[in-house]
Amino acid sequence: MRYFLLLAALWLFSGVATAAPLPADTAVLRIDRLAATGGFLLQKGWRYHAGDDPAWARSDFDDRAWDTLNPTRPRRAQPRAVQTGISWLRLRLRLGDSLRGHDLLVNFGELGAIEVYLNGQLVQRQGIINAEPARVVPRGRFPQPGQVPAGGPAEQVLAVRYAPWQPPFLIGADRGPQLTAFLFSPQVFWQSQARERDNARVFLVLLGFSVMLALLHYAFYRYNPKQRANRFFARFALAAALASFGAYCRYTMAFDSLGPFLVVLAATNMLASMTGLWAVRALYDLFNVRPGRVYAGLWLWYGGVVLALLLAPFHPMPGYLWGAMSILFTAEELRLTVRAVRQRRRGAWIIAVGFAGGLLAALGYLGVRLLAAPLLVENLCIVAVFVLPALGISLFLAREFALDAGLLQVKLAEVERLSAQTIAQEQEKQALLAQQNETLETQVAQRTGELQHSLTDLRATQAQLIQKEKMASLGELTAGIAHEIQNPLNFVNNFSEVSTELVEELQEALAARDTAEAAELASDVAQNLGKITEHGKRAAAIVKGMLEHSRTSTGERAPTDLNQLCDEYLRLAYQGLRAKDKTFNAKLETDFAPGLPLVEAAGADLGRVLLNLFGNAFYAVQKRQQAGEADYGPTVRVSTKQVGNQVEIRVSDNGPGIPESVKAKIFQPFFTTKPTGEGTGLGLSLSHDIIAQGHGGTLTVASQEGKFTEFLISLPIN
């Protein structure tokens, strides 16, 4: 109901005067007095003629041949000529003596443009006249009235040049009057317009109230987004604020033409109608009711009303539809409120009181209009029609917000209490943890001392194992050296014994003075001495080379011939094993790349790696040979090759191979596949460290169980 009254107020604020009884004479309209409202409707006595002639404005023009016309009749009931082009209307009037002594005002209302002449003088112009109705610019709001000065002639002539406006898209424009003309006293006219502007101030009150509600409930929504009713009520208040602003502009702005006025009118009506939709939507959320077909139907009805307002603002149908829509909005709001009250929803009575107050204010508004009560009382009723229901919803939401805030305060106090309790418990835990940490630190210090002692022992044991591995390698190297030196020493001993015998025979030949025999024996002795010297030098070279390789490594690198290094250590390793087992024999295969570049390496360290790999290879083939496998020939092979900027050394054997489960752990320290007492498990680990860390190379293994094992050393060429 409040929406109906809110929009009805937009149409009802007008202060027009009522018409006095017309005289019987229609040739000259006699006016002796104005109506009690201070105005007189010039309804009869008019004559009209289609066309356009400036001479028709003169007071002495004879218009008796013109047709009579009542311009206040609906436009569609007027002659065709008046509806489609420029026409003139003339009225002869006679003012009574009481009226002739006072200034009067004449004002016209029309859907078009006019020029008003009094006794041949232009007194009023509204809009822009054009012969084509589509190009006519209709009058705006608050036009200046025409002056009817006091002391004029007894009989006066009003001549009106009129051009109708025919909007192509506005249905129902022809239902209104063609032309209305009023004669006012100046005091009544200006008081009427002032009253209309005073009535518009109520919309400023609604504007301020609505803006305040919109901001308040939008802030509530931002604070608590879960209460979505605040968002919809903020939209309701915003739409009401915009509608109030549009209504105020409509009643206070002097529009130059009717077009902008109609736009403001349509926008105001649409926004005012939209407030009902948002109010219903807010109630749905407040009372936890899911919008259904009823709400969808309200939106469809609203769309139909908007379309009707746009297409037919002058037709009565949009007003009927709009009134029915306001009733539907009010009925749905009452249904939701009554339902909530019956369900004893918390605070629903606040909204019910607001609606009841709004209905009482509406009834009061109708009463003060009928009783012509003071304007202040009328305006207060209009404000109450809108404010009381909105205030009820706002107070309900504010109450909900306050209750939620109170609940939050209670929860906050509970949280603070629990937080304090948690902090106390945490402090107790911290004290207990500090005590436990102190105990743990003491225990850790003790354990650390024990571990440090164990680590020292472990390092000593590790050093002993490494030394044992080195000594084992040194023993193998020494055995190989001894076996390698034994051959030249045997030659030296044999040639020495033979030379002794030859010297004895030489002495006998000299005693017998057999010079030929003596010369031949001397030649044999000289030859034996050469052999002794040759094999002595060979033994000396072996000893010298081994001394160089057996020196403690300084880590310094020098250009190294890998082919020579591999060949020497292959034979030393082989001879070392044969020194332990005279029955062992193996086939040695070498494939050295000719022209292999020298490699920067620590010879002693690299020799230790090769000796370890060769020793493992001979050990593997020896074990397979001892297994008594038929047609098996032990073979150890070494090869070198340059691949790009790398030199590869491959050491392979045809021993039993390495199982896959063992291959992943082959380079781990202290891991060995040899029986207890035969290996330390450090040989391959140290070899891997020497190649990878000492020389920046790689050491990998490839094996197939029962077939072969191959170690690949890859060293960079600097």
Side-chain angles (χ1 to χ4, degrees), residues 236-442:
F236 157 81
L238 179 60
L242 294 175
S244 301
F245 179 71
Y248 178 78
C249 293
R250 177 197 170 192
Y251 284 105
T252 57
M253 291 181 61
F255 294 92
D256 294 334
S257 65
L258 195 59
F261 171 76
L262 291 177
V263 172
V264 172
L265 175 63
T268 301
N269 291 339
M270 286 187 291
L271 288 168
S273 301
M274 189 178 291
T275 57
L277 289 169
W278 293 127
V280 172
R281 187 65 179 86
L283 290 178
Y284 279 139
D285 267 24
L286 282 178
F287 300 140
N288 297 323
V289 178
R290 184 176 181 181
R293 296 180 179 178
V294 174
Y295 190 62
L298 291 178
W299 270 103
L300 291 176
W301 193 281
Y302 171 77
V305 173
V306 169
L307 186 62
L309 285 172
L310 292 175
L311 297 179
F314 301 102
H315 198 281
M317 182 57 67
Y320 301 147
L321 294 175
W322 173 79
M325 180 181 63
S326 300
I327 294 174
L328 291 174
F329 288 163
T330 304
E332 181 65 5
E333 292 167 355
L334 288 174
R335 183 185 73 85
L336 294 171
T337 305
V338 170
R339 177 185 176 185
V341 172
R342 287 180 177 178
Q343 293 176 350
R344 300 183 182 275
R345 294 295 302 272
R346 184 180 69 179
W349 61 270
I350 299 176
I351 299 178
V353 171
F355 278 117
L359 290 175
L360 291 176
L363 295 175
Y365 173 78
L366 295 177
V368 298
R369 290 288 292 180
L370 293 175
L371 298 175
L375 180 61
L376 178 61
V377 178
E378 183 178 326
N379 290 347
L380 288 176
C381 289
I382 293 175
V383 171
V385 168
F386 172 80
V387 168
L388 290 178
L391 190 60
I393 298 177
S394 182
L395 288 176
F396 177 86
L397 289 170
R399 182 174 180 270
E400 292 293 310
F401 182 81
L403 292 175
D404 291 341
L407 182 60
L408 286 176
Q409 288 293 336
V410 173
K411 291 183 177 179
L412 180 61
E414 181 67 17
V415 169
E416 290 177 350
R417 185 184 66 80
L418 293 175
S419 178
Q421 182 178 352
T422 302
I423 291 174
Q425 294 176 352
E426 187 67 23
Q427 290 175 348
E428 293 178 2
K429 290 181 180 179
Q430 291 294 337
L432 181 60
L433 286 175
Q435 183 179 359
Q436 292 178 350
N437 286 338
E438 185 176 355
T439 303
L440 287 174
E441 287 177 359
T442 303

Side-chain angles (χ1 to χ4, degrees), residues 691-707:
I691 297 299
Q693 299 177 12
H695 292 78
T698 59
L699 175 60
T700 58
V701 62
S703 180
Q704 183 176 353
E705 194 171 359
K707 296 292 185 179

Side-chain angles (χ1 to χ4, degrees), residues 208-238 278 282-283 286 350-351 386-402:
F209 180 74
S210 301
V211 169
M212 181 184 67
L213 285 183
L215 294 176
L216 179 64
H217 287 280
Y218 181 73
F220 285 168
Y221 173 70
R222 293 287 295 177
Y223 179 79
N224 183 16
K226 293 182 178 180
Q227 181 57 279
R228 298 172 68 237
N230 282 308
R231 180 179 67 173
F232 296 119
F233 192 70
R235 294 179 183 178
F236 157 81
L238 179 60
W278 293 127
L283 290 178
L286 282 178
I350 299 176
I351 299 178
F386 172 80
V387 168
L388 290 178
L391 190 60
I393 298 177
S394 182
L395 288 176
F396 177 86
L397 289 170
R399 182 174 180 270
E400 292 293 310
F401 182 81

Side-chain angles (χ1 to χ4, degrees), residues 96-110:
D97 293 339
S98 61
L99 295 178
R100 288 174 59 195
H102 298 85
D103 290 333
L104 299 175
L105 297 176
V106 62
N107 194 37
F108 286 79
E110 75 289 334

Side-chain angles (χ1 to χ4, degrees), residues 450-699:
E450 295 174 359
L451 290 175
Q452 188 67 33
H453 185 267
S454 299
L455 181 61
T456 303
D457 293 343
L458 181 61
R459 287 176 177 172
T461 303
Q462 184 178 8
Q464 292 175 1
L465 289 173
I466 293 174
Q467 185 63 27
K468 182 179 179 181
E469 177 65 23
K470 291 182 178 180
M471 293 303 295
S473 298
L474 182 60
E476 294 179 1
L477 181 62
T478 304
I481 293 172
H483 198 275
E484 187 71 16
I485 292 176
Q486 186 176 359
N487 287 332
L489 289 179
N490 287 336
F491 279 109
V492 170
N493 291 333
N494 292 335
F495 282 114
S496 296
E497 292 177 357
V498 172
S499 297
T500 301
E501 294 177 356
L502 290 175
V503 169
E504 291 178 354
E505 293 179 1
L506 177 59
Q507 291 175 351
E508 293 177 357
L510 289 175
R513 298 185 180 274
D514 187 353
T515 57
E517 181 67 20
E520 183 179 352
L521 290 173
S523 176
D524 291 339
V525 169
Q527 186 177 1
N528 286 346
L529 291 175
K531 292 293 184 181
I532 290 171
T533 301
E534 178 184 349
H535 289 288
K537 290 181 179 180
R538 169 61 179 163
I542 292 173
V543 172
K544 181 180 179 181
M546 292 305 102
L547 287 174
E548 291 178 356
H549 289 296
S550 62
R551 292 195 190 105
T552 301
S553 174
T554 62
E556 295 182 1
R557 299 186 187 183
T560 304
D561 185 350
L562 296 184
N563 288 342
Q564 180 181 355
L565 194 67
C566 291
D567 185 63
E568 288 182 4
Y569 278 92
L570 173 65
R571 304 192 183 282
L572 286 175
Y574 178 60
Q575 296 299 336
L577 186 58
R578 279 182 51 80
K580 297 177 183 178
D581 184 4
K582 300 292 186 178
T583 63
F584 173 72
N585 288 295
K587 181 180 180 182
L588 306 182
E589 295 182 356
T590 58
D591 183 11
F592 299 134
L596 192 69
L598 300 180
V599 175
E600 293 287 335
D605 293 342
L606 199 56
R608 188 174 299 127
V609 172
L610 291 173
L611 187 64
N612 183 271
L613 295 180
F614 290 141
N616 288 341
F618 286 124
Y619 178 83
V621 296
Q622 182 187 34
K623 291 301 179 183
R624 184 172 180 181
Q625 183 184 45
Q626 290 175 352
E629 184 177 342
D631 299 329
Y632 173 70
T635 303
V636 175
R637 186 174 186 274
V638 59
S639 64
T640 59
K641 182 174 65 172
Q642 180 179 357
V643 179
N645 60 346
Q646 301 279 328
V647 171
E648 293 182 351
I649 303 174
R650 295 179 183 270
V651 178
S652 60
D653 63 76
N654 61 346
I658 302 174
E660 288 294 329
S661 59
V662 174
K663 191 186 302 183
K665 301 181 287 184
I666 198 71
F667 294 114
Q668 293 181 4
F670 307 109
F671 178 80
T672 180
T673 58
K674 297 178 180 179
T676 303
E678 292 191 19
T680 63
L682 293 174
L684 288 177
S685 176
L686 293 174
S687 299
H688 185 274
D689 291 343
I690 291 172
I691 297 299
Q693 299 177 12
H695 292 78
T698 59
L699 175 60

